[in-house]
Amino acid sequence: AVVSTQSVVGTEWCEIKNKELQGYTTGKRVAMKDLDQAKSACGAMSACTGVTTERGQYTLRSGSELVYSAGSTTFLPQHSKLCSSSCSWDELKHTKLKGTLTPRDLGLEEAKSACEGRDDCAGATCKPAKKCGLAKFSDGKSSKSYVSFVKFCRS
């Protein structure tokens, strides 16, 4: 679904960490050093659906889908359908997340629910067909016997 953007005057924005919108608003990278300036420019362009950090600057984006991008932060107008109160999850195959918080004794849905209720939890690491444990960090190490799920919640 394409998200329409109104003028940013008085518009509230949500912030989503480790996610980026795919695609630049003008088809090429337009970067600004000031977040408020980028938000204002985005609001003035009907094709702009949000602002994503990239290489220490703010870029105007036109995507309608958020994808995982470690270290990026995306700002969206509050009325965007992508600004929701729930968390979304990205699967990282062959990855064991760092910072074990709990033993691996939870089912996947149980682990996701428990993680969403904790500020110190970044995701869950599971052994396929076995149990999952909560992890403190959204990055990890390569490990063929694990699959991890990283949470992304609106802040």
Side-chain angles (χ1 to χ4, degrees):
V2 175
V3 179
S4 63
T5 303
Q6 306 299 319
S7 169
V8 293
V9 177
T11 297
E12 294 290 320
W13 293 70
C14 70
E15 177 181 335
I16 302 173
K17 296 187 182 302
N18 294 313
K19 289 279 193 170
E20 73 175 27
L21 285 168
Q22 293 280 287
Y24 296 118
T25 299
T26 63
K28 62 182 181 177
R29 185 174 188 269
V30 174
M32 300 175 182
K33 292 184 179 185
D34 181 72
L35 176 59
D36 289 332
Q37 178 186 22
K39 287 178 178 177
S40 183
C42 182
M45 303 172 77
S46 62
C48 186
T49 57
V51 175
T52 296
T53 59
E54 182 183 1
R55 291 183 258 161
Q57 295 183 312
Y58 302 97
T59 57
L60 307 181
R61 301 297 182 111
S62 64
S64 60
E65 225 177 281
L66 290 166
V67 295
Y68 178 74
S69 177
S72 290
T73 300
T74 293
F75 301 88
L76 302 162
Q78 193 68 49
H79 66 269
S80 167
K81 292 177 185 173
L82 298 173
C83 287
S84 65
S85 59
S86 63
C87 299
S88 62
W89 293 83
D90 278 353
E91 182 176 343
L92 303 176
K93 292 182 179 182
H94 309 300
T95 302
K96 181 180 180 186
L97 298 180
K98 295 178 186 173
T100 301
L101 292 171
T102 65
R104 281 191 313 277
D105 58 3
L106 303 170
L108 177 57
E109 293 310 313
E110 190 181 12
K112 285 181 177 180
S113 179
C115 188
E116 286 180 11
R118 293 180 62 156
D119 289 338
D120 63 344
C121 182
T125 291
C126 311
K127 280 209 167 189
K130 296 199 178 179
K131 299 290 186 173
C132 303
L134 306 185
K136 189 172 189 169
F137 302 106
S138 60
D139 63 330
K141 64 179 184 178
S142 179
S143 178
K144 288 186 178 184
S145 60
Y146 289 90
V147 61
S148 293
F149 299 86
V150 178
K151 79 172 178 179
F152 300 95
C153 303
R154 190 183 130 230
S155 49

